[in-house]
Amino acid sequence: MAVVDVKKFQVNLNPTWCPGCGDYGLLRGLQLALAKLDLDPSQVVIVSGIGCSSNLPHFVKAYGYHSLHGRALPTAQGIKMANPNLIVIAAGGDGDGYGIGVGHLVHACRRNLDITYVVMDNQIYGLTTGQTSPTSDFGSKTKSTPDGNYEYSLNPIFLAISAGATFVARTFSGEPEHMSEIIAKAIQHKGFALVDDISPCVTYNKKNTYQWFKERVYKLEDIGHDPFDINQAIQRATEWEDKIPIGIFYINPDKASHDQIDPVIREGGAFSKPLELSDKEKTEILEAFL
């Protein structure tokens, strides 16, 4: 077995998350995945939004961009279109990605640009000290819903499949080794990949704890799930509460990625050619508008 050098993706900086936060598991799983793929830090860029989880780029040795709340995906897509040779990973939380950023998620799924989106889903707004989020369970009591959450939770797996994502998976921070295998496959996939990570918030979410999930999660590969069957994927995507599947729900290898279709990206990206225009190009542009 080849030696996996995780240290090349580690930095001399301690994460600022609460002790026991599920985001530590995602950090470990991501670093393992990058190391297993034998990538170099100079090949990778991680883009995040705002929230506890969006501090992730600071704790991985790679290029990083800490963007605006809910805007990780458009930023990540712009980077990929400018330099398609980069491995582009967007990262955020359920509030960032499924709340203010959900419109960007839908269009990223249907556009199918070759990037990976990892969402640390703790079913709560942790950074702002415990308000209900788009994935909070119905009835959850939080600072913003003291009598219980009256809204039904968003299903990110079902949403991504129906919006056209070509790789949709769920991981669990309590299983970092399994997570690393899933993230590695998501990065290798040619197209948009969503990895929704169950990342328990040990401070503000007292219902959906590590123990609560450990009693319910099971691996899709252990039951012979076929990720190429969209009907099976949708059926498994609706499971929650009593049984919660982790693993790869859906893969569509037949849908061409945006990178394969867009002529500019296919030829190396927006910055692959000199930015200045020749006299002939300037004339042609002027004539087109006169």
Side-chain angles (χ1 to χ4, degrees):
M1 181 181 293
V3 176
V4 178
D5 185 12
V6 181
K7 290 184 178 180
K8 66 179 178 179
F9 289 102
Q10 295 176 338
V11 297
N12 188 24
L13 181 66
N14 292 323
T16 53
W17 301 313
C18 299
C21 174
D23 295 356
Y24 285 99
L26 188 285
L27 173 62
R28 177 66 177 175
L30 176 60
Q31 290 171 330
L32 275 171
L34 295 172
K36 286 177 179 180
L37 293 174
D38 197 25
L39 296 171
D40 187 84
S42 64
Q43 297 174 272
V44 181
V45 58
I46 301 174
V47 183
S48 68
I50 297 295
C52 297
S53 53
S54 290
N55 286 330
L56 183 76
H58 302 277
F59 311 132
V60 182
K61 188 175 182 181
Y63 289 113
Y65 191 101
H66 202 152
S67 72
L68 301 176
H69 193 24
R71 308 297 180 241
L73 282 177
T75 306
Q77 290 173 92
I79 292 171
K80 185 67 176 182
M81 294 176 77
N83 187 352
N85 294 318
L86 288 170
I87 301 295
V88 180
I89 300 167
D94 46 299
D96 185 71
Y98 304 147
I100 188 172
V102 72
H104 294 303
L105 172 61
V106 169
H107 295 295
C109 289
R110 72 178 186 86
R111 187 172 293 118
N112 198 34
L113 195 66
D114 185 17
I115 64 174
T116 300
Y117 187 28
V118 292
V119 179
M120 285 149 274
D121 189 350
N122 57 18
Q123 301 172 267
I124 200 84
Y125 277 99
L127 185 65
T128 49
T129 69
Q131 296 81 17
T132 185
S133 88
T135 55
S136 295
D137 287 339
F138 182 85
S140 296
K141 292 186 177 182
T142 72
K143 282 186 177 181
S144 59
T145 56
D147 295 325
N149 180 23
Y150 301 146
E151 299 176 347
Y152 291 93
S153 57
L154 180 145
N155 185 330
I157 302 298
F158 189 89
L159 175 65
I161 294 172
S162 61
T166 52
F167 185 104
V168 182
R170 180 189 286 138
T171 55
F172 173 40
S173 285
E175 298 266 4
E177 182 65 36
H178 176 258
M179 181 201 303
S180 70
E181 297 292 339
I182 300 298
I183 293 178
K185 291 176 181 178
I187 293 171
Q188 290 176 310
H189 174 74
K190 296 302 179 185
F192 182 80
L194 172 71
V195 179
D196 180 69
D197 177 56
I198 296 171
S199 179
C201 176
V202 296
T203 303
Y204 297 111
N205 189 340
K206 300 302 184 181
K207 176 195 174 184
N208 307 112
T209 63
Y210 277 101
Q211 186 60 37
W212 189 87
F213 282 112
K214 285 180 179 179
E215 293 171 358
R216 291 164 172 80
V217 296
Y218 72 92
K219 297 183 176 90
L220 286 168
E221 56 268 33
D222 289 346
I223 63 164
H225 172 72
D226 181 4
F228 300 101
D229 186 333
I230 192 170
N231 293 315
Q232 281 192 38
I234 291 172
Q235 180 183 355
R236 296 299 174 188
T238 60
E239 292 184 0
W240 193 256
E241 285 291 342
D242 295 331
K243 294 198 310 180
I244 300 174
I246 60 175
I248 302 172
F249 286 79
Y250 183 59
I251 301 174
N252 182 352
D254 300 321
K255 182 179 176 181
S257 71
H258 193 79
D259 318 50
Q260 297 169 319
I261 300 170
D262 188 292
V264 176
I265 304 176
R266 200 169 59 233
E267 293 175 11
F271 295 146
S272 63
K273 297 179 180 180
L275 296 179
E276 66 272 8
L277 299 174
S278 66
D279 290 339
K280 179 182 178 182
E281 288 171 325
K282 293 175 184 176
T283 301
E284 290 176 346
I285 292 173
L286 286 173
E287 289 177 347
F289 286 94
L290 294 176

